[in-house]
Amino acid sequence: MNSLLDNCDKSMKKKTEMLEKEFSRLRTGRASASILEAIRVDYYGVNTPLNQVASISVPDARTILVSPFDKKLLVEIEKAIQIADIGIQPNNDGNVIRLPVPALNEDRRKEISKSIRKLGEDAKVAIRLVRKDVNNKSKKMEKDKDLNEDELRSLTKEIQEITDKYIKNIDILTSKKEKEVMSF
């Protein structure tokens, strides 16, 4: 019974962490190294994450600086950033790549805000699916006589409390990210 609750909590926590990761990748008008997290570079025939072949820094609120460990990779890194289509045009000066993060206009902010709400709703659906799965397992345990009716009712209530906690957490994360996007 406790392992069922622990698994439920872990699964829901994982879904929330995935949402936070998705939110960190969204371009909000402020420079953030996490925008480049998913970019991979062809490093001598091996598809390698950008952060393993270059140093990524944010010298100011509107610039991301990519300094490759091997200067021969400048062109490859620039190409990978363009292919990733993150909405930022890289500037290669021969030593480093500068990514000037443009300010967002009102329409783009509203668009990003909609996608934030959609990501939040998708995360809530994923949480509810975890709840449904755990509830089905607990009902099966009752059928198999591993739980009695009172234990099932108690377990279902605890599962709902965990679900409510994570749904509330997702609402807070979504609201916070929306405010961040709309405030610049």
Side-chain angles (χ1 to χ4, degrees), residues 150-161:
D150 290 337
E151 289 173 329
L152 176 66
R153 201 173 300 119
S154 171
L155 185 61
T156 305
K157 184 180 176 197
E158 287 183 58
I159 292 167
Q160 186 59 47
E161 287 171 1

Side-chain angles (χ1 to χ4, degrees), residues 16 19-24 26-30 109 112-117 119-120 124 167-184:
T16 306
L19 176 68
E20 288 175 324
K21 200 170 198 171
E22 285 293 318
F23 280 171
S24 73
L26 283 174
R27 196 164 66 81
T28 59
R30 181 188 304 166
R109 287 178 202 274
I112 292 172
S113 187
K114 278 183 190 175
S115 67
I116 288 170
R117 282 193 296 272
L119 287 171
K124 286 185 200 177
I167 294 285
K168 183 179 178 186
N169 193 5
I170 287 171
D171 284 337
I172 291 168
L173 289 170
T174 304
S175 168
K176 191 172 153 185
K177 191 65 175 182
E178 271 190 275
K179 284 178 187 160
E180 180 184 326
V181 167
M182 297 306 282
S183 68
F184 281 92

Side-chain angles (χ1 to χ4, degrees), residues 108-136:
R108 182 68 180 131
R109 287 178 202 274
K110 288 178 182 174
E111 212 174 283
I112 292 172
S113 187
K114 278 183 190 175
S115 67
I116 288 170
R117 282 193 296 272
K118 183 180 180 339
L119 287 171
E121 282 305 312
D122 291 348
K124 286 185 200 177
V125 168
I127 297 282
R128 291 182 188 119
L129 286 172
V130 170
R131 175 188 64 191
K132 180 181 176 184
D133 184 46
V134 174
N135 279 335
N136 287 341

Side-chain angles (χ1 to χ4, degrees), residues 7-181:
N7 289 341
C8 174
D9 192 56
K10 284 178 187 172
S11 293
M12 290 182 181
K13 184 175 184 172
K14 207 175 281 185
K15 303 292 181 195
T16 306
E17 288 169 352
M18 285 171 47
L19 176 68
E20 288 175 324
K21 200 170 198 171
E22 285 293 318
F23 280 171
S24 73
R25 287 189 186 130
L26 283 174
R27 196 164 66 81
T28 59
R30 181 188 304 166
S32 169
S34 62
I35 294 171
L36 305 176
E37 227 172 59
I39 296 177
R40 297 193 167 277
V41 179
D42 182 23
Y43 182 60
Y44 298 107
V46 178
N47 218 1
T48 310
L50 178 60
N51 63 0
Q52 291 182 11
V53 295
S55 167
I56 302 169
S57 60
V58 183
D60 61 63
R62 296 269 184 234
T63 309
I64 301 172
L65 198 63
V66 180
S67 305
F69 302 133
D70 182 355
K71 298 294 181 214
K72 296 173 192 165
L73 284 174
L74 271 170
V75 175
E76 286 294 327
I77 291 172
E78 186 176 15
K79 213 184 309 180
I81 292 170
Q82 289 171 338
I83 290 170
D85 194 28
I86 56 173
I88 303 172
Q89 192 59 38
N91 297 331
N92 180 349
D93 71 2
N95 290 319
V96 295
I97 295 175
R98 283 183 173 62
L99 299 165
V101 179
L104 298 174
N105 62 24
E106 193 64 28
D107 290 338
R108 182 68 180 131
R109 287 178 202 274
K110 288 178 182 174
E111 212 174 283
I112 292 172
S113 187
K114 278 183 190 175
S115 67
I116 288 170
R117 282 193 296 272
K118 183 180 180 339
L119 287 171
E121 282 305 312
D122 291 348
K124 286 185 200 177
V125 168
I127 297 282
R128 291 182 188 119
L129 286 172
V130 170
R131 175 188 64 191
K132 180 181 176 184
D133 184 46
V134 174
N135 279 335
N136 287 341
K137 286 179 184 174
S138 60
K139 287 176 186 171
K140 185 182 181 318
M141 287 173 70
E142 186 205 17
K143 278 184 184 174
D144 295 344
K145 304 291 185 206
D146 292 336
L147 291 176
N148 64 37
E149 203 174 306
D150 290 337
E151 289 173 329
L152 176 66
R153 201 173 300 119
S154 171
L155 185 61
T156 305
K157 184 180 176 197
E158 287 183 58
I159 292 167
Q160 186 59 47
E161 287 171 1
I162 293 170
T163 303
D164 291 342
K165 176 180 88 172
Y166 282 102
I167 294 285
K168 183 179 178 186
N169 193 5
I170 287 171
D171 284 337
I172 291 168
L173 289 170
T174 304
S175 168
K176 191 172 153 185
K177 191 65 175 182
E178 271 190 275
K179 284 178 187 160
E180 180 184 326
V181 167

